[in-house]
Amino acid sequence: MTKKINYKLVPLWISIEKLTFKPKYELVPFWNEINLFINDLEYKKSEDFLLYRKINTFLCHGPAGTLYIIKKALGMQKLKVFISFLLDYINNESTPGHYFPSYVVLNQIEQIKTISNLIDFDSTLNEISKIMHENHGDKNAKGWQSSEMLVEKRKDLLTRKKLAQALEMSQTTLWRVLKDHQAIAKKYKLKPCPTHRNYAGGRKYYLAEEVQAWLNYVDSFNLKQKS
């Protein structure tokens, strides 16, 4: 029986040996949230979550990073060329030289198709965008919004007169309430009353739900300061 020889690792293999140990990663808040979803049985059964997870993987791993590298290194025009190439690559699937979907991908497509009529894709992207903003400290961000979402929001934009009617106040009362609350917000460095303009310097418009939520927010903060 031969005796086992104890070899000493050269520096290169010492480095490689260290790399073989599984590191312990601490999840940032965004991925903590995703991790909770993954452990939720209801979400595991949801095809909607499958799409949500796929988009997050695209954004937070290699694919979005590759697009960013092309844009920054070669310019926006070359990125558009690459996207054109990419669309051709996936539009002619299962033909030589193009994308060939695996059985797993085909199965996932069928899963998502079963609830496609229930998915508001624009809102899904908006929610993902909000989480991204929150992960970077902006908890009040509206997130990315499609042109359709912006058009839909414009339908609900109100002048101050219409806003007073929506909040069931007179215009004079509304003006006084907004002025008082804006003074409190300025004093405590809170966010200002949310307004919308069609162009810089243009007329102010309001969303009734946003203004009411802001009024409640300022009132709540002011009461805490007084207590």
Side-chain angles (χ1 to χ4, degrees):
M1 182 176 178
T2 57
K3 185 178 180 181
K4 184 178 178 181
I5 302 174
N6 293 323
Y7 293 100
K8 289 186 178 180
L9 296 177
V10 296
L12 170 64
W13 287 105
I14 291 174
S15 299
I16 292 175
E17 186 181 39
K18 289 179 180 178
L19 291 175
T20 60
F21 290 103
K22 187 177 180 181
K24 293 183 179 179
Y25 297 103
E26 288 190 9
L27 298 177
V28 294
F30 171 70
W31 286 110
N32 275 325
E33 184 172 346
I34 297 299
N35 196 45
L36 289 175
F37 286 157
I38 291 172
N39 293 322
D40 189 317
L41 292 177
E42 291 303 315
Y43 274 97
K44 282 184 177 180
K45 298 175 184 177
S46 170
E47 285 76 14
D48 189 22
F49 175 64
L50 172 62
L51 179 63
Y52 187 86
R53 187 174 58 189
K54 286 287 183 183
I55 294 171
N56 278 312
T57 300
F58 181 93
L59 294 175
C60 299
H61 289 277
T66 300
L67 297 180
Y68 180 77
I69 289 170
I70 293 172
K71 173 180 175 292
K72 298 301 287 186
L74 304 178
M76 179 59 76
Q77 193 57 43
K78 295 301 181 184
L79 177 60
K80 290 179 180 179
V81 171
F82 178 75
I83 291 174
S84 176
F85 161 79
L86 184 61
L87 290 174
D88 176 75
Y89 179 66
I90 63 174
N91 280 338
N92 296 285
E93 70 276 9
S94 302
T95 59
H98 294 84
Y99 180 72
F100 190 88
S102 66
Y103 287 114
V104 173
V105 170
L106 293 174
N107 183 51
Q108 291 175 344
I109 290 171
E110 292 306 314
Q111 284 180 284
I112 294 171
K113 276 184 176 180
T114 59
I115 60 161
S116 59
N117 61 322
L118 302 176
I119 296 176
D120 186 337
F121 192 61
D122 290 7
S123 294
T124 298
L125 295 178
N126 176 250
E127 287 300 318
I128 291 173
S129 178
K130 284 181 181 178
I131 292 175
M132 295 291 188
H133 280 281
E134 288 176 10
N135 188 42
H136 289 90
D138 186 358
K139 296 183 178 181
N140 299 314
K142 297 176 182 178
W144 173 89
Q145 297 180 17
S146 66
S147 56
E148 288 79 6
M149 291 175 72
L150 292 173
V151 168
E152 197 63 34
K153 180 178 285 187
R154 287 194 190 99
K155 293 179 183 177
D156 299 324
L157 291 178
L158 305 172
T159 61
R160 186 172 289 190
K161 180 180 179 180
K162 294 286 186 181
L163 176 64
Q165 293 174 357
L167 298 180
E168 299 181 347
M169 300 180 187
S170 67
Q171 291 187 61
T172 303
T173 301
L174 175 63
W175 180 84
R176 179 176 52 79
V177 168
L178 289 178
K179 185 179 179 181
D180 291 344
H181 282 69
Q182 284 168 346
I184 296 170
K186 185 177 181 179
K187 178 181 178 180
Y188 294 112
K189 297 181 180 180
L190 306 177
K191 61 183 180 181
C193 178
T195 60
H196 302 268
R197 301 175 191 263
N198 290 328
Y199 54 89
R203 186 179 185 181
K204 289 182 180 179
Y205 292 91
Y206 305 85
L207 287 171
E209 291 182 359
E210 278 187 353
V211 174
Q212 186 61 67
W214 177 75
L215 292 173
N216 295 340
Y217 163 72
V218 174
D219 283 337
S220 175
F221 188 91
N222 196 33
L223 286 173
K224 287 180 181 178
Q225 295 301 311
K226 290 180 178 179
S227 61

